[in-house]
Amino acid sequence: MSDGEIIRRAIEDKSNNWHLDKLLSDFGSEYHQNKLPVVVIINDKYVVYDGNRRIAMLKCIQDDELFALATGQLKLAEPPDSLLTLDELPCCICDQETALDIVEKDHRGAGKWGMLQYEWFLHYHKGQPKGTLAIVEEALPGSISATKLNEEYARTRLLTKANLNMIGFDLRDGHLITNHTPELARNILSDLATAREQGKTSHRHNAGDVKSALIEIDSERYSSLQKFSQDKIVYDLTERATREEKSQPTDPTPAPKRRPRLNKTTTEPLFGGKLYPKGRTSNQLYRALEDIHGFYRKKPADREHLLPIIAMGLRLLLDITARYWSQVKSATPKSEINRQSRPI
């Protein structure tokens, strides 16, 4: 993937790891170099192992479209010049093993990762088997990453293999299997997260007792929860999730709901071509309108809300340009005005 594609995924933040919007608001006017990015040279390329959010944010604010996506609005306020022109940083260059050790110690010790992220790190970068949280998240996406279960207590006291067995689940060859229907299985994990949030299971109350915690949430539903049994119907939730992911269409928008194509005139450049208005203010305003119009043209069906801004901008551009030429005419002899080219 390109840097731009990675940053777009970071802005979307389905894994709830990046929080670029918060980082953007906290960035300030200077990039403080008190903590160096950790970089490994792989195939003559610099690969960032630690400091990805800071590097991504710098690249984001230096790209008009990415910046607009990150802020959720038009690029009406320019970031500081010190950040817009910063394209070179001092780094900590080391081998891969050292980089991974730095990342692990820094992120886990400071609580920067949830336990799910730590399990992913151990699996993908340290070659360890998938942890329980990773297996559950893969089978029921969002059940860990978007809940209170993404923590040490849930990993070591709640979602152990023995506890999962007590409420009708089992772990087999890296898969989460269950006697429950997929819908009920997701509800159970959701209610367990609620129980954790409400303190119905903690080190002091129902410590590690998943069934008691669930009963406090809904006694009618969960009092009759049975242990996992191979003799009952077994659903492979991991296989099901993988199958559903593969079956997702490239374009998730159903064909009948797609908006009709806009006519050709809406996809042409502003004014049909490049213009060079006289005067610094009018030229800057024209360039801003051109940027907004270009952003609109990339996804016109989704960005119709920009059209009123473009319309008001055109009126302002005409007004400012007219004022400029009025001042020029008042200060220029009539013989010289006749030789002037047209304003736009």
Side-chain angles (χ1 to χ4, degrees):
M1 298 175 68
S2 67
D3 285 350
E5 290 170 326
I6 293 172
I7 292 172
R8 284 183 179 86
R9 290 186 64 176
I11 293 171
E12 190 177 5
D13 202 13
K14 287 185 177 180
S15 62
N16 198 33
N17 292 329
W18 288 81
H19 308 292
L20 288 189
D21 52 349
K22 183 179 185 302
L23 182 63
L24 176 63
S25 64
D26 296 341
F27 220 71
S29 59
E30 295 291 335
Y31 180 91
H32 298 293
Q33 299 179 0
N34 58 313
K35 194 169 185 299
L36 302 182
V38 177
V39 176
V40 178
I41 301 176
I42 300 177
N43 297 328
D44 297 324
K45 291 184 178 181
Y46 294 99
V47 181
V48 181
Y49 273 63
D50 190 34
N52 277 286
R53 293 203 319 142
R54 284 168 282 150
I55 302 298
M57 197 70 261
L58 281 174
K59 292 192 175 187
C60 179
I61 65 176
Q62 293 175 14
D63 183 286
D64 289 350
E65 185 173 352
L66 292 176
F67 184 82
L69 288 174
T71 58
Q73 58 187 5
L74 295 177
K75 189 177 178 182
L76 300 178
E78 288 279 345
D81 289 340
S82 60
L83 299 182
L84 288 172
T85 57
L86 185 61
D87 57 4
E88 201 170 86
L89 291 173
C91 299
C92 169
I93 308 293
C94 59
D95 60 82
Q96 187 179 48
E97 184 177 355
T98 301
L100 290 174
D101 285 341
I102 292 173
V103 170
E104 182 175 4
K105 291 175 183 176
D106 181 49
H107 284 261
R108 192 189 178 191
K112 296 179 182 179
W113 281 343
M115 291 311 300
L116 173 63
Q117 286 71 32
Y118 184 55
E119 286 189 359
W120 278 340
F121 174 81
L122 293 176
H123 177 64
Y124 290 113
H125 295 289
K126 294 285 190 173
Q128 295 188 18
K130 285 182 184 177
T132 303
L133 299 187
I135 293 173
V136 173
E137 175 71 15
E138 186 177 46
L140 299 169
S143 60
I144 303 298
S145 61
T147 71
K148 181 68 173 176
L149 298 178
N150 189 10
E151 59 173 4
E152 177 76 28
Y153 177 82
R155 179 175 182 247
T156 57
R157 300 298 300 275
L158 290 182
L159 298 178
T160 63
K161 181 177 173 65
N163 277 346
L164 286 170
N165 267 262
M166 288 292 296
I167 56 174
F169 294 87
D170 196 17
L171 303 175
R172 182 183 300 167
D173 299 327
H175 285 218
L176 180 66
I177 60 177
T178 183
N179 296 137
H180 307 301
T181 64
E183 182 180 2
L184 178 56
R186 180 172 286 280
N187 288 339
I188 290 173
L189 266 295
S190 177
D191 284 340
L192 187 58
T194 300
R196 179 63 182 136
E197 289 174 4
Q198 296 179 358
K200 298 185 186 303
T201 175
S202 65
H203 289 291
R204 295 184 178 182
H205 180 67
N206 290 329
D209 189 343
V210 288
K211 187 171 180 179
S212 294
L214 287 170
I215 290 174
E216 287 197 27
I217 293 292
D218 190 335
S219 60
E220 184 177 351
R221 168 181 281 185
Y222 295 126
S223 294
S224 58
L225 271 181
Q226 300 294 316
K227 292 183 179 181
F228 175 81
S229 174
Q230 187 61 46
D231 297 330
K232 299 178 182 178
I233 296 176
V234 175
Y235 297 90
D236 189 327
L237 298 176
T238 302
E239 182 180 346
R240 181 174 181 271
T242 304
R243 187 169 60 249
E244 287 183 348
E245 184 178 0
K246 289 181 179 179
S247 66
Q248 289 293 327
T250 305
D251 182 357
T253 307
K257 295 184 179 179
R258 288 181 183 171
R259 299 190 183 192
R261 288 180 178 271
L262 299 176
N263 57 39
K264 186 177 179 180
T265 57
T266 60
T267 60
E268 292 180 352
L270 193 64
F271 296 113
K274 195 79 172 177
L275 301 181
Y276 302 91
K278 299 292 184 180
R280 182 173 181 273
T281 302
S282 57
N283 191 267
Q284 285 183 334
L285 179 57
Y286 167 75
R287 289 175 58 194
L289 280 172
E290 193 176 45
D291 287 345
I292 296 172
H293 186 255
F295 183 61
Y296 157 75
R297 285 193 298 114
K298 291 179 180 178
K299 291 184 178 180
D302 297 330
R303 296 171 181 169
E304 292 180 355
H305 58 284
L306 301 183
L307 292 177
I309 295 177
I310 295 174
M312 289 186 290
L314 292 176
R315 290 189 62 181
L316 182 60
L317 176 63
L318 291 173
D319 184 53
I320 291 176
T321 305
R323 290 181 188 179
Y324 170 80
W325 282 100
S326 176
Q327 294 172 359
V328 170
K329 287 181 180 180
S330 64
T332 305
K334 188 173 182 179
S335 59
E336 290 295 324
I337 294 178
N338 292 334
R339 289 199 294 269
Q340 290 277 2
S341 61
R342 295 173 62 189
I344 295 180

